[in-house]
Amino acid sequence: MCSSQSPRTPSQRACLKWSNICLLFYSMYFVAYALADAYQPLWDGPCELQHIFTGEMCENDDSPFCFLNCCVFAVPWLEFFGYGAYLWNVFWILDLGRFTLLPLAPEKVLGVHLMCFYHIFTWVCAGLIAFDPNGSRLVTDTCREAKIVMMPCILRRQTVGGDLPLFQVAGFVVIAVGFSLLVLRYIDAGQLLSSQSRTQRRERLLLAVRAYLRKQWLHFACLAICSILILLDTTTGCADNAGSYITSSAFPGLGLLLSLDRLVMYAKEEKAVEFGSANASPLHHAGSENLELGPAGATSPSPANLRSLPVTRASPFGAAGYRLLDFSALLEHLIQYLREEELQLAQQREVLAAGQTAKQAAASQLTLLRASARLDDSPDAQWDWTITASAGSETALTVIAPRSFTYLRRLANLDCEALLNELLQTNLGELRVAAKSGSSLLCSADQRTFVLKTVSKSEVKQVRAMLADYRKHLEERPESLLCRIYGCFSFRNSLGYFLHAVLMDCLVGLPASLTDFDYMTPKVFDIKSEFQDGGFRSSFPQGLQLPDLHFAQDLNFLSSLGVVDYSILLSVWEIPEELGHELSQKDIRPGVLVPGTSERPWYVVRLGIIDFLVHWCVRKRTESALKRTCLHPRHTERVTIMDPPSYARRQLDFLHAVFCS
């Protein structure tokens, strides 16, 4: 029920998995305790932990379950696993609400996965509630007088009573808020379905979103019913009547109803996959989307260049389809913006071409764009451009510093028409999650033209802060290894939440001069330091002999900006010797040719510095301090994040060691 075929996200699956584990132990304790209690209650006899192992408890009793009836053995653990299962379901709702608002947000905080925080909070809270902070629940007298929350009143003895802890009330509030967010998103998807501006692809995504949200309601209903009954059972007086038995059914029902819900969902998912397998490949059920990304009725600049792609008839599946909703809208707005910008620039070139050659007109236009971009150096002259889908629409795309990035795209000699063509034929089903940062990445179909990556709000601020220096650095150093950023965008969805993304160069594709060799697959390494080299040392123990690429200038520049957590993205293609001799006569920049020897083949190498938008702020300082204290107290040099000068120096030392000529 928690397999990779589940429509839920990894964190949601993990929450339900741990809920299942807790419910399994809770059920075992519940049944065993009920059997022991039904056979012969032993609350008045000696019941200390040491008696369990000496056998004193069972001297005058033949019940094999007598030790389970010991208060200090059964009650705290029953409460621990029962409350743990409840908390894991609360965190499932919490994570579902987070995912509903920001489906593309990384599942990390301070570089640590959310599941780590869920584990810490769940086990600590469950332990404190079950055993008390001073461990008094392990003493018989205090255990018998305890206030508990996960044991039905029909099984309580003597002065054991119910309690209503603030944690349980807070958990119920989380459940209510999480469900409210799902309802708002469901209603919003229905309103978008009724709009006249939707495309066929958009309609399919909206239908998939509503289907995905509906699948969560049954689980929520079961959890809400059990929570209400548990609260009633805990707060009302115990009596041997029908009401007590009804409310007590919620305790085993917490496992039974939720398990039935998951079994029903699992059966439906298996049936859906089996039904669709005859008409569509499994990829289609994983969220593949191949329909045209442009608005209905729009035409691309060069339709003849568009490759024909198979049309997906199956709807996106589960959370995979839901994650595409806001991203697809961002992409549609982005395409429309670039199309209009390209049209305006083409008209400008026509005006400049009067009395000039095409090359002179392009140079004149670049000069005008440079002058326009320099206006962004003054905070008073900075401005962003917000584009709404239609009059009265709540969705909007904000283009960050459009003048500067228009100039930077021309400065990088980017073929904007080719970029637009690649955006139009992009397969949204290829959207994937970066392993380290947790950001979502979408590469162009040719694996060469662009990468669209989601970023945080703080990274957008860093783009704005460093933009002037970044532009000047690229002007002075055209051969810089810094990844070229083509644009920064913020998309506001209909719920009012933002999705931020940067459009940048793709460094895992062969240089444009080697388009005939796209069949070759590279080895890709994400290098941060000698301790996180992405497997480079194991693949190339002797390193690679590259010419002097002037890493120091770029790294010193990043250090002066106060950024950290960047890395070297290295792509290596192994090529035959005959092809190597042929390429040695050509200019393959931005790639580098590494001649082979009798012991080593020829290689084409492409590398660049990526992810340089993380500022050395309080959050990163805190992350560094926590990792130094908890993860690497004896080897602080292994900590990924450190101050900018030290980070740049460590990066440079490693690069010189593996790439020195």
Side-chain angles (χ1 to χ4, degrees), residues 608-650:
I609 304 175
I610 61 172
D611 298 339
F612 45 83
L613 300 178
V614 179
H615 192 262
W616 180 242
C617 57
V618 174
R619 185 173 62 87
K620 283 298 174 182
R621 293 172 189 267
T622 304
E623 178 183 344
S624 178
L626 288 175
K627 290 184 176 179
R628 288 172 184 271
T629 304
C630 303
L631 297 182
H632 304 290
R634 297 184 179 180
H635 303 281
T636 57
E637 71 279 0
R638 293 178 177 268
V639 176
T640 304
I641 306 299
M642 53 180 57
D643 62 277
S646 300
Y647 192 92
R649 184 167 55 254
R650 183 181 64 178

Side-chain angles (χ1 to χ4, degrees), residues 197-215:
S197 59
R198 70 182 188 276
T199 62
Q200 181 185 5
R201 178 194 53 79
R202 186 76 168 165
E203 182 176 354
R204 285 169 47 204
L205 281 176
L206 290 169
L207 290 172
V209 165
R210 289 170 68 87
Y212 167 73
L213 295 177
R214 281 197 300 270
K215 289 182 179 180

Side-chain angles (χ1 to χ4, degrees), residues 262-279:
R262 294 169 201 172
L263 287 172
V264 170
M265 290 295 100
Y266 183 72
K268 289 183 178 180
E269 292 158 11
E270 288 293 312
K271 183 177 180 181
V273 172
E274 180 181 359
F275 176 78
S277 60
N279 300 321

Side-chain angles (χ1 to χ4, degrees), residues 53 57 90 112 119 136 193 204 297 387 408 410 503 546 598:
F53 303 102
M57 285 182 56
V90 169
V112 181
H119 274 289
S136 61
L193 272 172
R204 285 169 47 204
I387 308 169
L408 286 173
R410 266 58 189 181
L503 184 69
L546 299 181
S598 58

Side-chain angles (χ1 to χ4, degrees), residues 413-639:
N413 295 319
L414 176 65
D415 187 341
C416 294
E417 183 176 334
L419 170 64
L420 189 54
N421 284 340
E422 288 296 329
L423 285 168
L424 282 165
Q425 57 190 311
T426 297
N427 179 9
L428 279 178
E430 297 297 326
L431 185 69
R432 60 184 179 86
V433 178
K436 294 183 179 179
S437 66
S439 300
S440 296
L441 300 173
L442 182 66
C443 292
S444 58
D446 63 355
Q447 297 290 311
R448 179 184 294 110
T449 305
F450 73 87
V451 171
L452 190 60
K453 177 184 178 182
T454 59
V455 294
S456 64
K457 183 178 180 180
S458 62
E459 288 175 302
V460 174
K461 292 181 179 179
Q462 180 61 29
V463 169
R464 167 68 78 186
M466 63 179 282
L467 191 55
D469 294 327
Y470 174 73
R471 188 191 70 245
K472 294 174 183 177
H473 183 76
L474 295 184
E475 289 176 341
E476 296 170 359
R477 285 183 44 79
E479 73 283 0
S480 171
L481 294 175
L482 295 180
C483 181
R484 284 3 182 216
I485 301 178
Y486 299 144
C488 182
F489 311 93
S490 295
F491 173 73
R492 186 188 66 207
N493 67 16
S494 53
L495 294 180
Y497 290 88
F498 284 87
L499 171 64
H500 311 287
V502 292
L503 184 69
M504 57 188 184
D505 190 15
C506 181
L507 301 178
V508 297
L510 280 167
S513 58
L514 303 180
T515 54
D516 295 336
F517 307 102
D518 286 340
Y519 60 88
M520 295 190 296
T521 303
K523 293 181 179 179
V524 181
F525 307 96
D526 191 342
I527 303 173
K528 290 184 180 291
S529 68
E530 61 179 307
F531 309 108
Q532 295 188 21
D533 65 353
F536 176 78
R537 278 293 200 183
S538 59
S539 299
F540 299 94
Q542 305 301 322
L544 287 173
Q545 302 298 315
L546 299 181
D548 187 6
L549 297 175
H550 306 289
F551 285 108
Q553 298 181 35
D554 288 328
L555 295 178
N556 289 336
F557 168 70
L558 295 178
S559 177
S560 67
L561 293 177
V563 297
V564 294
D565 209 19
Y566 48 85
S567 58
I568 300 293
L569 188 64
L570 176 69
S571 302
V572 182
W573 292 265
E574 182 178 334
I575 60 175
E577 183 177 0
E578 299 79 9
L579 178 59
H581 287 294
E582 179 183 346
L583 295 181
S584 63
Q585 309 300 321
K586 297 181 179 180
D587 182 7
I588 63 170
R589 286 181 296 181
V592 177
L593 181 66
V594 180
T597 64
S598 58
E599 300 178 354
R600 188 173 62 186
W602 290 64
Y603 297 109
V604 170
V605 177
R606 188 176 181 186
L607 70 167
I609 304 175
I610 61 172
D611 298 339
F612 45 83
L613 300 178
V614 179
H615 192 262
W616 180 242
C617 57
V618 174
R619 185 173 62 87
K620 283 298 174 182
R621 293 172 189 267
T622 304
E623 178 183 344
S624 178
L626 288 175
K627 290 184 176 179
R628 288 172 184 271
T629 304
C630 303
L631 297 182
H632 304 290
R634 297 184 179 180
H635 303 281
T636 57
E637 71 279 0
R638 293 178 177 268
V639 176

